[in-house]
Amino acid sequence: MAKMQLREAINLTLHQEMERDPSVIVLGEDIVGGMGTAGGPEAIGGIWKTTAGLYEKFGAGRVIDTPISESAIIGAAAGAALAGKRPVAELMFADFVGVCLDQIWNQMAKFRYMFGGKSRCPAVIRIAYGAGRNAGPQHSQSVYGLMTAIPGLKVVIPSSPAEAKGLLTQAIRDDDPVLFFEPKALYATRGDVPEEEYVIPFGHARLVREGSDVTIVTCGQLVGTAATAADRLAQQGIGCDVIDLRTTSPLDEEAILDSVETTGRLVVLDENPPRCGLAADIAAMVGEKAFAALRAPVSMVTPPHTPVPFAVELERAYLPDAERVEAAVTQLLGYRGSAPR
Amino acid sequence: MAKMQLREAINLTLHQEMERDPSVIVLGEDIVGGMGTAGGPEAIGGIWKTTAGLYEKFGAGRVIDTPISESAIIGAAAGAALAGKRPVAELMFADFVGVCLDQIWNQMAKFRYMFGGKSRCPAVIRIAYGAGRNAGPQHSQSVYGLMTAIPGLKVVIPSSPAEAKGLLTQAIRDDDPVLFFEPKALYATRGDVPEEEYVIPFGHARLVREGSDVTIVTCGQLVGTAATAADRLAQQGIGCDVIDLRTTSPLDEEAILDSVETTGRLVVLDENPPRCGLAADIAAMVGEKAFAALRAPVSMVTPPHTPVPFAVELERAYLPDAERVEAAVTQLLGYRGSAPR
Amino acid sequence: MQLSREQMLGAYRQMKVIREFEERLHVEIQKGEIAGFTHLYSGQEAVAVGVCEQLTDGDYIISTHRGHGHCIAKGCDVKGMMREIYGSAEGLCKGKGGSMHIADVDKGMLGANGIVGAGAPIAVGAAISAKLDGQGRVSVAFSGDGACNQGTTFEAMNLAVVVKAPCIFLFENNHYSEHTGVDYAVATSGDIASRAEAFGMKVWRGNGSDFFAVTEVMREVLEYVRAGNGPAAVELDTERFFGHFEGDPQRYRGPGELDRIRAERDCLEAFRTRVTEAKLLEGADLDQVDAEVMQMIEASVAEARSAPRPTAADVLTDVYISY
Amino acid sequence: MQLSREQMLGAYRQMKVIREFEERLHVEIQKGEIAGFTHLYSGQEAVAVGVCEQLTDGDYIISTHRGHGHCIAKGCDVKGMMREIYGSAEGLCKGKGGSMHIADVDKGMLGANGIVGAGAPIAVGAAISAKLDGQGRVSVAFSGDGACNQGTTFEAMNLAVVVKAPCIFLFENNHYSEHTGVDYAVATSGDIASRAEAFGMKVWRGNGSDFFAVTEVMREVLEYVRAGNGPAAVELDTERFFGHFEGDPQRYRGPGELDRIRAERDCLEAFRTRVTEAKLLEGADLDQVDAEVMQMIEASVAEARSAPRPTAADVLTDVYISY
Ligand SMILES: Cc1ncc(C[n+]2csc(CCOP(=O)(O)OP(=O)(O)O)c2C)c(N)n1
Ligand SMILES: Cc1ncc(C[n+]2csc(CCOP(=O)(O)OP(=O)(O)O)c2C)c(N)n1
Ligand SMILES: [Mg+2]
Ligand SMILES: [Mg+2]
């Protein structure tokens, strides 16, 4: 066990997996840094510093700094994966999915199915996501909802350094394409991380808090928000199950449904805009599969249906916080059906 | 009134709007056809023939045939719109959103908001969408769900020639970016179309069938499927409201909720894969806003969470049909809550 | 490059297989036997075969929407392909992909591709992998003259040069993208190779209707790329004998154009004339190949027609999860 | 090109405004006054001003993540910009866009842009519109040496040539994209103009640290493009004086590099030397401009600091619908 930042946990995982398996390669913009400069290749490892030291250790053949051309990067990852490698591509901001969606959606995600099950595409795309750093409308989006909508992709969102390490290890070893969303607002967050290798399997949610009154389902950086809300509610005697999904696809429906069977009340806390997002997805699934258990409408706590605004006050109002979660929980507990069902 | 194909209704609309407003321009791949060939510019008007005759009538300045480069096409539409034109760009297949998403999502959709309300981007993107023509995994997708998820876009899906004309007219006159999804399987479908100009306002759903037992909400080419199901059910004495959304954003929540208040039962019929799709979106909205009215779980009738397969038998099994809608309706009517709510 | 008798017969056979595969599909599609959109490769055979005959299973290619020729040339099972195009459950992709998505990764065939321009970056990735393996293997990205305008193609070329990937950008200039002429859409009056050159790549140009010309060019190119000099680009001038897709009225063609290209730029005829005039092969040798190929195509169609059809349950296989 | 005294003073003032705007932001950011990611334009002023001084409000430009200089040069209100960067409700974009999204469509400024390479296609669209209007107006796409590798940039150049759009692709080669050197990322050893040329465009090259050189180049370019000859490309060599974004440790720089470029390639110093040596302006004239600008920047910061802040309700405005 060591205390480390989320970015360090990711860096350690990359080091360990590259050491273990020579077919693991990494590629992306500035993931080395300093290529073609007087200063020379930098150990800095990209603007997030998640790839620091890899170039020095594993060399230019396996640590590939690329020009600004995300379609080429993701396409190259797809091709290298088809050819037997385990590429880990970095997309600097989730918002840049816009310039390379085809390679994710129509290529990687579809190979296995459209080639009749006769190919594997074990590529990982690491993606820094999320609001909270005042990066404005084109550098703050979450995007994991859009990706969850795409058949063939696995979508992973760690919520802490230790989670990041186990989930990234699994992502790299997985034989399907994995989109690995790193909450960029948490890069500097510290936590205890086992130094040895371990995997966290996909499709198994994590119970972060336990309580029998309301279920709160969330993922990524909002897990902390939900936990804070649950802790405050606990002081008022209200018990919440807080479920960290870890992976939105595959989705651990069982964990959600089991909890709702007990609580009868669900808050879904999601960072995507509300329309066709993850909150709606889970609300609908529960509405269908746990209809009889629901004692109140599912409450979806999301940002409004707008781009992510820049100014501090605006972004603060945009991103759901613990207060909004608490209000949603309280409201559910106060719900009295107006008509018989 | 004239009988015409859906493609002809679109073509007529383009003619009328270009005639009326000199700021309307059209652009896309092969929308003229024959540029730079011995045969010369063709009156054929693209592979869908929706732009036939425009070049001859309005000339190369307003009818712009482009190289294969969708990002440039959509970006050019965005730029021309900012500069005061009303561009109508054609995206040959909805699947190609993958190669130009950034221009749709991070550019067009965000200008108004991120420029503080001080710009207009009256661009229309016409997009042929949908399964049913055995075009395989990369030429059959629906995509309107992904687009509905994006704040700032208006998303329109006509279901008949007359609807197409009125909605496209509104799209062209609208001051926000509009994604106009044309059901390609219906291009040759005929219907009565008023020849004069008319608009169908956005955000107003259309009641296609009336009945008080179950509500069926759908759009685009599946409106016909839902109507068929409703007609067959009517013969068994089961009455369905069939709601054609027309626009998925803005969404006519009122029309849906009003109907569900009466019926207490909802089937959402959608052509997107199920995760984070339109079916979930509407199911969740209704689950939240008409909780007390629901007498059974909302039933989501969608394709499975896979790419669109090629073979006739596979695609037939993939795309929801009237039988599946009927089964869903019947099941809802048979629902008996197992536990008290 | 001196080819053995066997190599020549083999190459001719491959070209003939492609030709008859496509000519037969043309007929079957008109009869309504085949669903979906199909893009035929007839006329361009010398390119696919001239390139792929010099590759091994360890080399990679990636193809386009017009992929049948590349697939056959790279060694995909022809009967499996026919079954796929017919949508059989026993097609090469179980009927899930169809004409535009035939792949056989074990043969180094990374897929036909329905998205114009999507192949080039994927080919660069395979080349990066090959380079790391250090065995001199290469990756070939087939692209059309239309695809060369797609941003992905440019990005891929730049990336390949930057990382010195053993990738060959093989542009088949058949003068049309759909209905549009290359002189219009490729801003440099249709000159593709010069644009590739501007990325710092060595480029070759050649007559794509002449198998021997293609072979010679590719010999040089492969020597250059396998030796670790980084990527290269090749522009080959060729002709497609059918429309863009089956059903295309081809009004963009000049008068008599189709007859002329069939008469003057038929790579199979050119091959026959060349080898018989030079007495490298007898006409009878080729006739025999022709007969065998016709029989094989006939058999593959017959078999594809009666091959097992997929069922609804097959929609749900080859996924990691079902919702 | 002979500039009047007024034109010279005006240009100098604009460059000085940009410089001091950026130098001041650098200080304020280090104090923690400003949120988010900010990319400063210091060092490149001669480009923005040399280009935009010859444009009118009817011409369009589109900018990049490093947009302050272009915005100021194109006539955006400086105080409104400062308020925007501070996130005020009365910023040019009401605090919704921030540094990377400043726009003023009425001034022909179609936006800074956070997506590298996204601007070029948008500029082509504005050029298409301008061409249709037939008044000789043009559209300028500012791009960096990194952005020139993005597929969209290539697509835009090809499209512009095909439709003969009056679009100018203005590449500011400041030798770096983030931490990466242009010689590495631009496969042609950093030569951008030749790549543009390969799209069939006429290209110009120049010293982007010399206002008069930029002016002369742009005079020619604008004459060419306004005359209806189609697009053109310009590559200007320049320097950025700060890091990629504020907070960048700049380890990629060579020893003494920052001092050297400040000493040798400062476009404001070069301007001063040139005009005073040639006795076109007095040092005192420039000093007075300097003083006025410093005051204006000071005032704009003071004002931005106390400008009204947005409230939660403002999140929901400027949308066509609220969910
Ligand atoms: C991204 C994308 N845009 C457009 C299309 C539609 N389309 C299919 S083939 C084609 C023309 C391709 O021309 P070219 O690259 O010359 O190949 P050819 O058909 O001549 O073999 C077009 C526009 C597509 N499939 N994908
Ligand atoms: C599509 C996209 N990819 C990556 C980035 C991250 N990024 C922002 S600026 C930049 C470097 C741009 O370099 P250049 O074009 O030379 O402009 P400069 O910063 O030198 O002004 C990068 C990689 C981005 N904003 N958008
Ligand atoms: Mg072609
Ligand atoms: Mg730069």
Side-chain angles (χ1 to χ4, degrees):
Chain A
M1 268 314 177
K3 269 251 185 285
M4 65 180 81
Q5 295 183 336
L6 193 143
R7 66 157 53 89
E8 291 165 342
I10 285 165
N11 186 259
L12 175 61
T13 310
L14 292 171
H15 272 277
Q16 287 181 345
E17 289 300 294
M18 290 191 76
E19 188 78 60
R20 186 187 59 81
D21 180 352
S23 72
V24 178
I25 63 176
V26 301
L27 69 168
E29 293 161 13
D30 266 306
I31 61 164
V32 181
M35 298 301 284
T37 68
E42 291 177 319
I44 196 163
I47 70 159
W48 307 120
K49 305 187 180 68
T50 45
T51 51
L54 295 174
Y55 180 83
E56 287 69 17
K57 184 112 184 249
F58 301 104
R62 294 178 63 197
V63 183
I64 301 167
D65 210 321
T66 67
I68 307 179
S69 43
E70 284 80 3
S71 285
I73 297 168
I74 305 303
L82 282 178
K85 297 292 177 287
R86 293 189 176 273
V88 182
E90 180 174 297
L91 207 56
M92 211 181 279
F93 286 83
D95 315 68
F96 305 165
V97 159
V99 296
C100 57
L101 179 68
D102 181 70
Q103 291 291 345
I104 298 173
W105 175 42
N106 284 322
Q107 310 301 331
M108 283 190 177
K110 295 198 168 75
F111 288 154
R112 176 168 162 183
Y113 189 83
M114 81 183 168
F115 295 163
K118 291 174 193 156
S119 72
R120 293 183 323 159
C121 187
V124 179
I125 311 180
R126 295 180 37 244
I127 305 179
Y129 89 92
R133 293 187 67 155
N134 306 105
Q138 294 174 337
H139 283 70
S140 304
Q141 295 169 100
S142 297
V143 189
Y144 56 78
L146 290 177
M147 296 300 106
T148 303
I150 299 178
L153 298 179
K154 292 179 177 169
V155 181
V156 183
I157 311 150
S159 57
S160 76
E163 290 284 305
K165 183 153 185 281
L167 288 166
L168 182 56
T169 303
Q170 172 58 33
I172 293 171
R173 298 180 186 183
D174 202 280
D175 279 347
D176 283 299
V178 177
L179 299 201
F180 189 84
F181 285 86
E182 301 172 4
K184 62 175 179 277
L186 302 187
Y187 270 136
T189 300
R190 290 174 171 283
D192 284 325
V193 178
E195 279 159 299
E196 68 281 7
E197 294 171 19
Y198 59 96
V199 300
I200 299 176
F202 292 167
H204 295 276
R206 179 172 72 110
L207 196 60
V208 177
R209 293 287 185 280
E210 262 191 88
S212 52
D213 296 316
V214 175
T215 304
I216 307 175
V217 170
T218 190
C219 63
Q221 67 165 316
L222 292 179
V223 169
T225 307
T228 303
D231 290 344
R232 292 197 206 146
L233 289 160
Q235 294 177 350
Q236 304 164 36
I238 299 169
C240 296
D241 268 358
V242 174
I243 295 176
D244 172 4
L245 290 175
R246 284 174 165 163
T247 61
T248 59
S249 192
L251 180 70
D252 190 349
E253 296 190 356
E254 210 181 296
I256 302 169
L257 294 170
D258 280 356
S259 175
V260 172
E261 290 296 337
T262 305
T263 62
R265 299 177 188 92
L266 174 64
V267 173
V268 193
L269 172 62
D270 177 24
E271 194 173 335
N272 293 285
R275 297 296 316 278
C276 298
L278 186 74
D281 181 81
I282 289 171
M285 186 275 291
V286 170
E288 189 173 42
K289 300 191 178 171
F291 181 73
L294 282 178
R295 290 191 261 171
V298 177
S299 175
M300 295 178 271
V301 178
T302 72
H305 203 62
T306 71
V308 186
F310 162 70
V312 176
E313 294 84 348
L314 295 174
E315 199 185 44
R316 198 180 294 138
Y318 175 91
L319 195 64
D321 57 13
E323 284 69 39
R324 281 192 60 199
V325 178
E326 289 171 61
V329 166
T330 313
Q331 212 197 339
L332 287 192
L333 288 168
Y335 179 82
R336 298 287 169 264
S338 53
R341 307 272 321 246
Chain B
M1 273 307 183
K3 269 252 183 289
M4 65 181 80
Q5 296 183 334
L6 192 143
R7 66 157 51 89
E8 291 164 342
I10 286 165
N11 186 259
L12 176 59
T13 310
L14 292 172
H15 273 276
Q16 288 181 345
E17 289 300 293
M18 290 191 76
E19 188 79 60
R20 186 187 60 81
D21 180 353
S23 72
V24 178
I25 63 176
V26 301
L27 69 167
E29 293 161 14
D30 266 307
I31 62 164
V32 181
M35 299 301 284
T37 68
E42 293 176 317
I44 196 163
I47 71 159
W48 307 120
K49 305 187 179 69
T50 43
T51 51
L54 296 175
Y55 180 83
E56 288 68 17
K57 184 114 183 246
F58 301 103
R62 294 179 63 197
V63 183
I64 300 167
D65 210 320
T66 66
I68 307 178
S69 44
E70 284 81 3
S71 285
I73 297 167
I74 305 304
L82 281 178
K85 298 293 178 286
R86 293 189 175 272
V88 182
E90 180 175 297
L91 206 57
M92 211 181 280
F93 286 82
D95 316 67
F96 305 165
V97 159
V99 296
C100 56
L101 179 67
D102 182 69
Q103 291 290 345
I104 299 173
W105 176 42
N106 284 322
Q107 310 301 330
M108 283 190 177
K110 296 199 167 77
F111 288 154
R112 176 168 163 184
Y113 190 82
M114 80 184 169
F115 296 163
K118 291 173 192 156
S119 72
R120 292 183 325 158
C121 187
V124 179
I125 311 180
R126 295 181 37 244
I127 305 179
Y129 90 92
R133 293 186 68 157
N134 306 105
Q138 293 174 337
H139 284 71
S140 304
Q141 295 168 100
S142 298
V143 189
Y144 56 78
L146 289 177
M147 296 301 105
T148 303
I150 298 177
L153 299 179
K154 292 180 177 168
V155 181
V156 184
I157 311 151
S159 58
S160 77
E163 290 284 306
K165 184 156 184 281
L167 289 166
L168 182 56
T169 304
Q170 173 57 35
I172 293 171
R173 298 180 187 183
D174 202 280
D175 279 346
D176 283 299
V178 177
L179 299 200
F180 188 84
F181 284 87
E182 300 172 5
K184 62 177 179 279
L186 302 187
Y187 270 137
T189 300
R190 290 174 170 283
D192 284 326
V193 177
E195 279 158 299
E196 69 280 6
E197 293 170 22
Y198 59 97
V199 299
I200 299 176
F202 293 167
H204 295 275
R206 179 173 71 110
L207 195 60
V208 177
R209 293 289 185 278
E210 263 192 87
S212 52
D213 296 315
V214 175
T215 303
I216 307 175
V217 170
T218 189
C219 63
Q221 68 165 315
L222 293 179
V223 169
T225 307
T228 303
D231 291 343
R232 292 198 207 145
L233 289 160
Q235 292 179 350
Q236 303 164 36
I238 299 170
C240 296
D241 268 359
V242 175
I243 295 175
D244 173 3
L245 289 175
R246 284 174 164 163
T247 61
T248 58
S249 193
L251 180 70
D252 190 348
E253 296 189 356
E254 208 180 298
I256 301 168
L257 293 171
D258 279 357
S259 175
V260 172
E261 290 295 338
T262 305
T263 62
R265 298 178 190 91
L266 174 64
V267 173
V268 194
L269 173 62
D270 177 24
E271 195 173 335
N272 292 284
R275 297 297 314 280
C276 298
L278 186 73
D281 181 81
I282 290 171
M285 186 276 290
V286 170
E288 188 172 42
K289 301 191 177 171
F291 181 73
L294 282 178
R295 291 191 261 170
V298 177
S299 174
M300 296 177 270
V301 179
T302 73
H305 203 62
T306 70
V308 186
F310 161 69
V312 176
E313 294 85 347
L314 295 174
E315 198 184 44
R316 199 179 292 138
Y318 174 92
L319 195 63
D321 57 12
E323 283 70 38
R324 281 191 61 198
V325 178
E326 289 172 62
V329 166
T330 313
Q331 213 198 337
L332 288 192
L333 288 167
Y335 178 82
R336 299 287 169 264
S338 52
R341 309 272 321 250
Chain C
M1 186 173 185
Q2 208 38 55
L3 295 179
S4 70
R5 191 186 144 79
E6 244 147 58
Q7 286 174 318
M8 278 187 293
L9 277 174
Y12 180 78
R13 178 184 302 271
Q14 286 290 64
M15 292 201 292
K16 185 70 181 174
V17 170
I18 298 172
R19 174 67 55 86
E20 295 308 330
F21 193 93
E22 301 294 68
E23 299 283 331
R24 181 63 182 265
L25 279 180
H26 178 68
V27 172
E28 298 301 325
I29 289 166
Q30 297 210 315
K31 285 198 279 180
E33 287 266 314
I34 288 159
F37 295 100
T38 319
H39 309 80
L40 301 180
Y41 192 73
S42 266
Q44 305 184 199
E45 297 85 350
V47 175
V49 177
V51 171
C52 294
E53 284 290 290
Q54 296 182 60
L55 304 179
T56 70
D57 284 359
D59 295 312
Y60 301 102
I61 71 166
I62 189 144
S63 173
T64 70
H65 57 287
R66 198 176 303 288
H68 305 166
H70 308 131
C71 293
I72 292 173
K74 194 67 173 55
C76 290
D77 177 53
V78 174
K79 292 190 170 174
M81 286 178 58
M82 192 64 90
R83 287 193 299 268
E84 184 62 28
I85 293 165
Y86 270 80
S88 158
E90 295 185 354
L92 216 47
C93 306
K94 301 186 189 158
K96 286 177 172 166
S99 165
M100 271 195 280
H101 304 290
I102 295 174
D104 190 340
V105 175
D106 293 338
K107 297 260 192 259
M109 204 293 145
L110 304 185
N113 205 311
I115 304 296
V116 168
I122 300 172
V124 175
I128 286 172
S129 173
K131 184 180 177 188
L132 192 55
D133 294 343
Q135 291 161 15
R137 295 186 285 158
V138 305
S139 170
V140 179
F142 287 99
S143 302
D145 51 282
C148 87
N149 296 318
Q150 191 69 280
T152 48
T153 309
F154 300 115
E155 290 188 5
M157 290 196 282
N158 188 56
L159 176 60
V161 177
V162 168
V163 303
K164 261 196 153 191
C167 188
I168 298 163
F169 297 93
L170 196 307
F171 293 102
E172 292 184 77
N173 186 344
N174 63 8
H175 316 132
Y176 296 101
S177 55
E178 294 196 343
H179 306 208
T180 300
V182 65
D183 294 350
Y184 176 80
V186 176
T188 44
S189 311
D191 174 8
I192 300 167
S194 303
R195 290 205 315 204
E197 206 162 15
F199 283 93
M201 261 183 287
K202 195 156 170 184
V203 306
W204 279 259
R205 293 177 175 80
N207 178 0
S209 296
D210 177 351
F211 168 78
F212 293 99
V214 175
T215 300
E216 193 47 36
V217 163
M218 283 308 295
R219 189 190 56 73
E220 285 178 35
V221 172
L222 284 164
E223 194 177 294
Y224 175 86
V225 176
R226 290 199 198 280
N229 291 302
V234 185
E235 177 177 354
L236 298 173
D237 189 278
T238 183
E239 308 287 349
R240 71 163 145 80
F241 286 173
F242 290 113
H244 169 61
F245 52 80
E246 287 305 278
D248 172 3
Q250 302 186 69
R251 286 156 58 169
Y252 46 84
R253 303 257 192 200
E257 180 177 323
L258 277 174
D259 293 339
R260 185 179 52 69
I261 60 176
R262 285 252 183 199
E264 294 172 13
R265 301 209 67 207
D266 184 329
C267 55
L268 282 153
E269 283 308 316
F271 186 100
R272 180 180 282 265
T273 308
R274 164 88 173 264
V275 297
T276 52
E277 282 182 358
K279 305 248 185 293
L280 298 167
L281 296 172
E282 300 286 313
D285 298 333
L286 301 175
D287 294 343
Q288 195 192 328
V289 171
D290 288 357
E292 287 167 13
V293 167
M294 295 303 284
Q295 215 175 5
M296 192 261 266
I297 296 296
E298 181 61 44
S300 69
V301 168
E303 203 223 59
R305 271 209 194 101
S306 59
R309 304 301 305 172
T311 65
D314 296 328
V315 172
L316 299 175
T317 57
D318 303 317
V319 295
Y320 75 82
I321 193 164
S322 293
Y323 295 111
Chain D
M1 187 174 183
Q2 210 33 59
L3 295 179
S4 70
R5 192 186 144 79
E6 245 146 58
Q7 286 175 319
M8 278 186 293
L9 277 173
Y12 180 78
R13 176 184 302 273
Q14 287 289 66
M15 292 201 292
K16 185 70 181 173
V17 170
I18 297 172
R19 174 67 55 87
E20 296 308 330
F21 193 92
E22 300 296 67
E23 299 282 335
R24 181 62 182 263
L25 278 180
H26 177 69
V27 172
E28 298 302 324
I29 289 165
Q30 297 209 316
K31 286 198 278 181
E33 287 265 315
I34 288 159
F37 294 100
T38 319
H39 308 81
L40 301 180
Y41 191 73
S42 265
Q44 306 185 197
E45 297 85 351
V47 175
V49 177
V51 171
C52 295
E53 284 289 291
Q54 297 182 60
L55 304 179
T56 70
D57 283 0
D59 296 311
Y60 302 101
I61 71 165
I62 188 144
S63 172
T64 70
H65 57 287
R66 197 176 303 288
H68 305 167
H70 308 131
C71 294
I72 291 172
K74 195 67 173 54
C76 290
D77 176 52
V78 174
K79 292 191 170 174
M81 286 178 58
M82 191 63 90
R83 287 194 298 268
E84 184 62 28
I85 292 165
Y86 270 81
S88 158
E90 296 185 354
L92 216 48
C93 306
K94 301 186 190 158
K96 286 178 172 165
S99 164
M100 272 194 280
H101 305 291
I102 295 174
D104 190 341
V105 175
D106 293 339
K107 296 259 193 262
M109 204 293 145
L110 304 186
N113 204 311
I115 304 296
V116 167
I122 300 172
V124 175
I128 286 172
S129 172
K131 183 180 177 186
L132 192 56
D133 294 342
Q135 291 161 14
R137 294 185 287 157
V138 304
S139 170
V140 179
F142 286 98
S143 302
D145 51 283
C148 87
N149 296 317
Q150 191 69 282
T152 47
T153 308
F154 300 115
E155 290 187 5
M157 290 196 282
N158 188 55
L159 176 60
V161 178
V162 168
V163 303
K164 261 196 154 192
C167 189
I168 297 163
F169 298 92
L170 197 307
F171 294 102
E172 291 184 77
N173 186 344
N174 64 7
H175 317 133
Y176 296 101
S177 55
E178 294 197 344
H179 306 208
T180 300
V182 65
D183 294 350
Y184 176 81
V186 176
T188 44
S189 312
D191 173 7
I192 300 167
S194 302
R195 291 206 314 205
E197 206 162 15
F199 283 93
M201 261 184 286
K202 195 158 171 184
V203 306
W204 278 260
R205 292 177 176 80
N207 178 359
S209 296
D210 176 351
F211 167 78
F212 293 98
V214 175
T215 299
E216 193 48 36
V217 163
M218 284 306 296
R219 190 191 55 74
E220 286 177 35
V221 172
L222 284 164
E223 192 178 295
Y224 175 87
V225 176
R226 290 199 199 279
N229 292 302
V234 184
E235 177 178 353
L236 298 174
D237 190 279
T238 183
E239 309 287 350
R240 71 163 147 78
F241 286 173
F242 290 113
H244 169 60
F245 52 81
E246 287 305 278
D248 172 2
Q250 303 187 68
R251 285 157 58 168
Y252 46 83
R253 303 255 192 203
E257 179 177 325
L258 277 174
D259 293 339
R260 185 179 52 71
I261 60 177
R262 285 251 182 200
E264 295 173 12
R265 300 208 67 207
D266 184 329
C267 55
L268 283 153
E269 283 309 314
F271 186 100
R272 180 181 282 264
T273 309
R274 165 86 172 263
V275 297
T276 51
E277 281 183 359
K279 306 246 186 292
L280 298 167
L281 296 174
E282 300 286 313
D285 298 332
L286 300 175
D287 294 343
Q288 194 190 328
V289 171
D290 289 356
E292 287 167 13
V293 167
M294 295 303 283
Q295 215 175 7
M296 192 262 264
I297 296 296
E298 180 61 45
S300 67
V301 168
E303 202 222 58
R305 272 211 195 100
S306 59
R309 304 301 306 173
T311 65
D314 296 329
V315 172
L316 299 175
T317 58
D318 304 317
V319 295
Y320 74 82
I321 192 164
S322 292
Y323 296 112

